[in-house]
Amino acid sequence: LKIIHEIYPGHHFSYSKQRSNLLNKITKNMFLEEGWAKYCEFLFAFEIDNSYEMKQAYKIKHLLSSINFIITMNIHYYDRKLSEIFDLLMNKCGLDKHRILSIIMQCNVQPLSSINYFVGFHVVKSILANKKTDNNMYEFLVETFYDKESTVII
């Protein structure tokens, strides 16, 4: 999944076509950039490879990005104490103490980086499922998330 995310058709695909004004605008938005790469992982796991092992690997990665999103929202939106979040996770998620501390610190210090996989994936998936075909994806993403002055809307 890492290869799909980082190389083709994930980030490499976006960067290799950087000359296009449309793709250049998309790669400037970290949510859309990471969302596209995560969506590529999803397609590979569930549509191309379709094996039980690949689906499980994807589900674990998606679960971790969901945990990051939930922790980040609890810290920065609901103002929950870090110790309270730690105690809750120690009893519920099955991760070891050091991994939980690492995730909490990342979510506390880098909130946007902690939610970009989760938010970006769901934005891209929703757009593709509800609005346009893959052939028109780039045009639609730019129309949806950028105004006429190319200012990011999300």
Side-chain angles (χ1 to χ4, degrees), residues 30-31 34 64-79 82 102-120:
M30 75 174 174
F31 290 99
E34 292 300 339
L64 287 173
S65 71
S66 301
I67 290 170
N68 279 354
F69 178 79
I70 292 167
I71 292 170
T72 301
M73 293 303 292
N74 273 280
I75 293 170
H76 296 285
Y77 185 76
Y78 296 110
D79 292 323
L82 300 181
S102 173
I103 292 171
I104 290 173
M105 291 307 299
Q106 176 191 340
C107 294
N108 188 38
V109 176
Q110 298 176 323
L112 289 179
S113 296
S114 299
I115 66 170
N116 66 357
Y117 290 137
F118 181 85
V119 172

Tab-separated table of all heavy atoms in Angstrom, residues 30-31 34 64-79 82 102-120:
chain	number	residue	atom	x	y	z
A	30	MET	N	-2.938	20.196	0.866
A	30	MET	CA	-2.493	18.943	1.478
A	30	MET	C	-3.637	17.952	1.686
A	30	MET	O	-3.431	16.751	1.633
A	30	MET	CB	-1.761	19.196	2.786
A	30	MET	CG	-2.600	19.559	3.944
A	30	MET	SD	-1.545	19.639	5.398
A	30	MET	CE	-2.701	20.257	6.566
A	31	PHE	N	-4.858	18.439	1.890
A	31	PHE	CA	-5.979	17.525	2.069
A	31	PHE	C	-6.280	16.776	0.775
A	31	PHE	O	-6.484	15.567	0.782
A	31	PHE	CB	-7.226	18.271	2.551
A	31	PHE	CG	-7.107	18.759	3.961
A	31	PHE	CD1	-6.763	20.073	4.219
A	31	PHE	CD2	-7.324	17.915	5.026
A	31	PHE	CE1	-6.641	20.523	5.521
A	31	PHE	CE2	-7.203	18.345	6.326
A	31	PHE	CZ	-6.857	19.665	6.574
A	34	GLU	N	-3.140	14.344	-0.124
A	34	GLU	CA	-3.125	13.109	0.670
A	34	GLU	C	-4.403	12.300	0.443
A	34	GLU	O	-4.376	11.074	0.448
A	34	GLU	CB	-2.945	13.408	2.153
A	34	GLU	CG	-1.583	13.964	2.508
A	34	GLU	CD	-0.430	13.034	2.164
A	34	GLU	OE1	-0.629	11.808	2.008
A	34	GLU	OE2	0.685	13.540	2.028
A	64	LEU	N	-6.021	3.693	11.924
A	64	LEU	CA	-5.052	4.596	12.560
A	64	LEU	C	-5.293	6.049	12.155
A	64	LEU	O	-5.180	6.954	12.984
A	64	LEU	CB	-3.620	4.170	12.234
A	64	LEU	CG	-3.145	2.913	12.956
A	64	LEU	CD1	-1.784	2.476	12.439
A	64	LEU	CD2	-3.110	3.129	14.460
A	65	SER	N	-5.614	6.298	10.891
A	65	SER	CA	-5.899	7.681	10.498
A	65	SER	C	-7.195	8.169	11.142
A	65	SER	O	-7.318	9.345	11.483
A	65	SER	CB	-5.927	7.840	8.974
A	65	SER	OG	-7.051	7.242	8.401
A	66	SER	N	-8.146	7.273	11.367
A	66	SER	CA	-9.385	7.637	12.063
A	66	SER	C	-9.104	7.973	13.525
A	66	SER	O	-9.657	8.936	14.068
A	66	SER	CB	-10.400	6.494	11.989
A	66	SER	OG	-10.706	6.181	10.666
A	67	ILE	N	-8.232	7.185	14.157
A	67	ILE	CA	-7.837	7.460	15.544
A	67	ILE	C	-7.156	8.822	15.629
A	67	ILE	O	-7.445	9.610	16.529
A	67	ILE	CB	-6.935	6.334	16.096
A	67	ILE	CG1	-7.757	5.061	16.305
A	67	ILE	CG2	-6.265	6.758	17.400
A	67	ILE	CD1	-6.925	3.834	16.618
A	68	ASN	N	-6.273	9.127	14.686
A	68	ASN	CA	-5.619	10.440	14.661
A	68	ASN	C	-6.649	11.560	14.573
A	68	ASN	O	-6.533	12.587	15.253
A	68	ASN	CB	-4.652	10.551	13.487
A	68	ASN	CG	-3.332	9.895	13.759
A	68	ASN	OD1	-3.061	9.428	14.853
A	68	ASN	ND2	-2.500	9.840	12.742
A	69	PHE	N	-7.641	11.377	13.714
A	69	PHE	CA	-8.678	12.394	13.557
A	69	PHE	C	-9.443	12.596	14.869
A	69	PHE	O	-9.648	13.723	15.316
A	69	PHE	CB	-9.641	11.991	12.435
A	69	PHE	CG	-10.763	12.964	12.241
A	69	PHE	CD1	-10.553	14.144	11.550
A	69	PHE	CD2	-12.011	12.698	12.761
A	69	PHE	CE1	-11.588	15.053	11.378
A	69	PHE	CE2	-13.053	13.600	12.589
A	69	PHE	CZ	-12.841	14.775	11.903
A	70	ILE	N	-9.846	11.490	15.490
A	70	ILE	CA	-10.620	11.573	16.733
A	70	ILE	C	-9.805	12.226	17.838
A	70	ILE	O	-10.301	13.096	18.569
A	70	ILE	CB	-11.115	10.169	17.155
A	70	ILE	CG1	-12.168	9.683	16.151
A	70	ILE	CG2	-11.670	10.185	18.578
A	70	ILE	CD1	-12.492	8.209	16.273
A	71	ILE	N	-8.540	11.856	17.963
A	71	ILE	CA	-7.681	12.454	18.993
A	71	ILE	C	-7.511	13.950	18.742
A	71	ILE	O	-7.619	14.761	19.656
A	71	ILE	CB	-6.309	11.750	19.036
A	71	ILE	CG1	-6.462	10.325	19.552
A	71	ILE	CG2	-5.330	12.533	19.916
A	71	ILE	CD1	-5.195	9.489	19.410
A	72	THR	N	-7.237	14.307	17.499
A	72	THR	CA	-7.036	15.719	17.164
A	72	THR	C	-8.278	16.544	17.490
A	72	THR	O	-8.177	17.640	18.054
A	72	THR	CB	-6.668	15.878	15.673
A	72	THR	OG1	-5.479	15.128	15.427
A	72	THR	CG2	-6.440	17.328	15.311
A	73	MET	N	-9.442	16.042	17.150
A	73	MET	CA	-10.689	16.756	17.464
A	73	MET	C	-10.880	16.879	18.973
A	73	MET	O	-11.306	17.923	19.465
A	73	MET	CB	-11.886	16.042	16.827
A	73	MET	CG	-11.891	16.089	15.319
A	73	MET	SD	-11.846	17.756	14.641
A	73	MET	CE	-13.451	18.347	15.150
A	74	ASN	N	-10.562	15.816	19.712
A	74	ASN	CA	-10.708	15.869	21.168
A	74	ASN	C	-9.763	16.888	21.793
A	74	ASN	O	-10.133	17.574	22.744
A	74	ASN	CB	-10.487	14.487	21.783
A	74	ASN	CG	-11.758	13.682	21.807
A	74	ASN	OD1	-12.585	13.872	22.678
A	74	ASN	ND2	-11.931	12.808	20.831
A	75	ILE	N	-8.559	17.009	21.275
A	75	ILE	CA	-7.596	17.960	21.820
A	75	ILE	C	-7.964	19.392	21.440
A	75	ILE	O	-8.045	20.269	22.298
A	75	ILE	CB	-6.163	17.653	21.316
A	75	ILE	CG1	-5.670	16.325	21.888
A	75	ILE	CG2	-5.204	18.783	21.691
A	75	ILE	CD1	-4.377	15.829	21.254
A	76	HIS	N	-8.176	19.618	20.165
A	76	HIS	CA	-8.269	20.998	19.672
A	76	HIS	C	-9.690	21.541	19.543
A	76	HIS	O	-9.867	22.750	19.459
A	76	HIS	CB	-7.542	21.105	18.328
A	76	HIS	CG	-6.083	20.829	18.455
A	76	HIS	ND1	-5.200	21.735	19.005
A	76	HIS	CD2	-5.352	19.731	18.144
A	76	HIS	CE1	-3.992	21.224	19.013
A	76	HIS	NE2	-4.050	20.002	18.498
A	77	TYR	N	-10.680	20.703	19.543
A	77	TYR	CA	-12.056	21.178	19.453
A	77	TYR	C	-12.786	21.030	20.786
A	77	TYR	O	-13.451	21.942	21.244
A	77	TYR	CB	-12.813	20.440	18.343
A	77	TYR	CG	-14.195	20.972	18.114
A	77	TYR	CD1	-14.389	22.167	17.425
A	77	TYR	CD2	-15.312	20.293	18.599
A	77	TYR	CE1	-15.672	22.672	17.235
A	77	TYR	CE2	-16.592	20.784	18.403
A	77	TYR	CZ	-16.764	21.976	17.724
A	77	TYR	OH	-18.026	22.473	17.529
A	78	TYR	N	-12.641	19.868	21.401
A	78	TYR	CA	-13.347	19.609	22.656
A	78	TYR	C	-12.519	19.940	23.892
A	78	TYR	O	-13.003	19.815	25.014
A	78	TYR	CB	-13.801	18.143	22.723
A	78	TYR	CG	-14.811	17.808	21.656
A	78	TYR	CD1	-14.476	16.978	20.595
A	78	TYR	CD2	-16.094	18.338	21.696
A	78	TYR	CE1	-15.400	16.674	19.605
A	78	TYR	CE2	-17.026	18.045	20.716
A	78	TYR	CZ	-16.676	17.208	19.672
A	78	TYR	OH	-17.586	16.917	18.694
A	79	ASP	N	-11.265	20.357	23.705
A	79	ASP	CA	-10.368	20.760	24.808
A	79	ASP	C	-10.214	19.701	25.893
A	79	ASP	O	-10.156	20.013	27.078
A	79	ASP	CB	-10.842	22.078	25.437
A	79	ASP	CG	-10.698	23.249	24.497
A	79	ASP	OD1	-9.708	23.284	23.739
A	79	ASP	OD2	-11.580	24.128	24.513
A	82	LEU	N	-4.834	15.855	27.657
A	82	LEU	CA	-4.047	14.797	27.030
A	82	LEU	C	-4.046	13.538	27.887
A	82	LEU	O	-4.125	12.422	27.366
A	82	LEU	CB	-2.619	15.268	26.769
A	82	LEU	CG	-2.462	16.485	25.845
A	82	LEU	CD1	-0.997	16.811	25.656
A	82	LEU	CD2	-3.154	16.265	24.522
A	102	SER	N	2.984	8.699	21.233
A	102	SER	CA	3.462	9.255	19.968
A	102	SER	C	2.318	9.864	19.154
A	102	SER	O	2.430	10.971	18.619
A	102	SER	CB	4.164	8.153	19.168
A	102	SER	OG	4.504	8.603	17.893
A	103	ILE	N	1.210	9.152	19.069
A	103	ILE	CA	0.047	9.649	18.322
A	103	ILE	C	-0.513	10.908	18.980
A	103	ILE	O	-0.814	11.893	18.300
A	103	ILE	CB	-1.046	8.560	18.219
A	103	ILE	CG1	-0.576	7.412	17.323
A	103	ILE	CG2	-2.344	9.146	17.678
A	103	ILE	CD1	-1.499	6.206	17.332
A	104	ILE	N	-0.641	10.899	20.304
A	104	ILE	CA	-1.183	12.060	21.016
A	104	ILE	C	-0.291	13.281	20.804
A	104	ILE	O	-0.779	14.388	20.549
A	104	ILE	CB	-1.376	11.762	22.518
A	104	ILE	CG1	-2.522	10.767	22.706
A	104	ILE	CG2	-1.645	13.042	23.310
A	104	ILE	CD1	-2.685	10.266	24.123
A	105	MET	N	1.012	13.085	20.875
A	105	MET	CA	1.932	14.219	20.669
A	105	MET	C	1.830	14.771	19.258
A	105	MET	O	1.806	15.982	19.053
A	105	MET	CB	3.374	13.812	20.983
A	105	MET	CG	3.618	13.544	22.446
A	105	MET	SD	3.093	14.895	23.538
A	105	MET	CE	4.113	16.218	22.964
A	106	GLN	N	1.765	13.892	18.276
A	106	GLN	CA	1.615	14.338	16.891
A	106	GLN	C	0.326	15.134	16.723
A	106	GLN	O	0.316	16.201	16.107
A	106	GLN	CB	1.622	13.161	15.929
A	106	GLN	CG	1.369	13.585	14.489
A	106	GLN	CD	1.121	12.422	13.570
A	106	GLN	OE1	1.469	11.280	13.863
A	106	GLN	NE2	0.497	12.695	12.436
A	107	CYS	N	-0.764	14.624	17.260
A	107	CYS	CA	-2.068	15.294	17.125
A	107	CYS	C	-2.085	16.631	17.857
A	107	CYS	O	-2.757	17.572	17.418
A	107	CYS	CB	-3.180	14.398	17.663
A	107	CYS	SG	-3.419	12.889	16.696
A	108	ASN	N	-1.354	16.724	18.946
A	108	ASN	CA	-1.299	17.963	19.715
A	108	ASN	C	-0.455	19.020	19.004
A	108	ASN	O	-0.852	20.174	18.912
A	108	ASN	CB	-0.742	17.679	21.110
A	108	ASN	CG	-0.846	18.881	22.018
A	108	ASN	OD1	-1.826	19.612	21.983
A	108	ASN	ND2	0.161	19.093	22.835
A	109	VAL	N	0.687	18.609	18.471
A	109	VAL	CA	1.643	19.553	17.882
A	109	VAL	C	1.347	19.846	16.413
A	109	VAL	O	1.528	20.965	15.952
A	109	VAL	CB	3.086	19.013	18.044
A	109	VAL	CG1	4.094	19.913	17.367
A	109	VAL	CG2	3.417	18.852	19.518
A	110	GLN	N	0.878	18.858	15.666
A	110	GLN	CA	0.629	19.011	14.234
A	110	GLN	C	-0.799	18.583	13.887
A	110	GLN	O	-1.012	17.561	13.238
A	110	GLN	CB	1.620	18.172	13.437
A	110	GLN	CG	3.052	18.571	13.648
A	110	GLN	CD	3.992	17.638	12.910
A	110	GLN	OE1	3.758	16.443	12.829
A	110	GLN	NE2	5.060	18.201	12.376
A	111	PRO	N	-1.777	19.371	14.298
A	111	PRO	CA	-3.164	18.935	14.098
A	111	PRO	C	-3.560	18.758	12.630
A	111	PRO	O	-4.244	17.794	12.293
A	111	PRO	CB	-3.992	20.020	14.787
A	111	PRO	CG	-3.088	21.173	14.969
A	111	PRO	CD	-1.701	20.636	15.015
A	112	LEU	N	-3.141	19.648	11.753
A	112	LEU	CA	-3.537	19.505	10.347
A	112	LEU	C	-2.911	18.279	9.711
A	112	LEU	O	-3.568	17.565	8.955
A	112	LEU	CB	-3.187	20.763	9.558
A	112	LEU	CG	-4.034	21.983	9.884
A	112	LEU	CD1	-3.583	23.183	9.053
A	112	LEU	CD2	-5.508	21.716	9.662
A	113	SER	N	-1.661	18.023	10.014
A	113	SER	CA	-1.013	16.824	9.489
A	113	SER	C	-1.660	15.557	10.042
A	113	SER	O	-1.642	14.517	9.391
A	113	SER	CB	0.471	16.816	9.849
A	113	SER	OG	1.122	17.891	9.222
A	114	SER	N	-2.222	15.657	11.226
A	114	SER	CA	-2.833	14.496	11.861
A	114	SER	C	-4.197	14.145	11.289
A	114	SER	O	-4.644	13.011	11.418
A	114	SER	CB	-2.969	14.732	13.370
A	114	SER	OG	-1.697	14.924	13.948
A	115	ILE	N	-4.855	15.107	10.659
A	115	ILE	CA	-6.185	14.825	10.122
A	115	ILE	C	-6.230	14.794	8.601
A	115	ILE	O	-7.239	14.414	8.019
A	115	ILE	CB	-7.245	15.826	10.642
A	115	ILE	CG1	-6.978	17.239	10.135
A	115	ILE	CG2	-7.335	15.774	12.149
A	115	ILE	CD1	-8.105	18.215	10.417
A	116	ASN	N	-5.137	15.175	7.923
A	116	ASN	CA	-5.214	15.309	6.464
A	116	ASN	C	-5.493	13.995	5.742
A	116	ASN	O	-6.202	13.988	4.741
A	116	ASN	CB	-4.004	16.032	5.889
A	116	ASN	CG	-2.711	15.276	6.031
A	116	ASN	OD1	-2.668	14.200	6.615
A	116	ASN	ND2	-1.649	15.846	5.519
A	117	TYR	N	-4.981	12.864	6.219
A	117	TYR	CA	-5.279	11.588	5.563
A	117	TYR	C	-6.770	11.272	5.646
A	117	TYR	O	-7.409	10.928	4.667
A	117	TYR	CB	-4.517	10.434	6.208
A	117	TYR	CG	-3.030	10.427	5.979
A	117	TYR	CD1	-2.163	10.131	7.012
A	117	TYR	CD2	-2.496	10.675	4.726
A	117	TYR	CE1	-0.805	10.103	6.812
A	117	TYR	CE2	-1.135	10.651	4.518
A	117	TYR	CZ	-0.286	10.358	5.560
A	117	TYR	OH	1.061	10.323	5.360
A	118	PHE	N	-7.314	11.384	6.847
A	118	PHE	CA	-8.715	11.042	7.079
A	118	PHE	C	-9.647	11.978	6.311
A	118	PHE	O	-10.516	11.538	5.562
A	118	PHE	CB	-9.012	11.100	8.591
A	118	PHE	CG	-10.421	10.744	8.945
A	118	PHE	CD1	-10.788	9.423	9.118
A	118	PHE	CD2	-11.378	11.728	9.117
A	118	PHE	CE1	-12.090	9.079	9.447
A	118	PHE	CE2	-12.687	11.398	9.448
A	118	PHE	CZ	-13.039	10.072	9.614
A	119	VAL	N	-9.457	13.279	6.496
A	119	VAL	CA	-10.328	14.255	5.841
A	119	VAL	C	-10.164	14.179	4.330
A	119	VAL	O	-11.145	14.133	3.581
A	119	VAL	CB	-10.043	15.676	6.366
A	119	VAL	CG1	-10.794	16.723	5.554
A	119	VAL	CG2	-10.397	15.789	7.846
A	120	GLY	N	-8.917	14.168	3.866
A	120	GLY	CA	-8.664	14.145	2.425
A	120	GLY	C	-9.262	12.931	1.744
A	120	GLY	O	-9.888	13.043	0.687
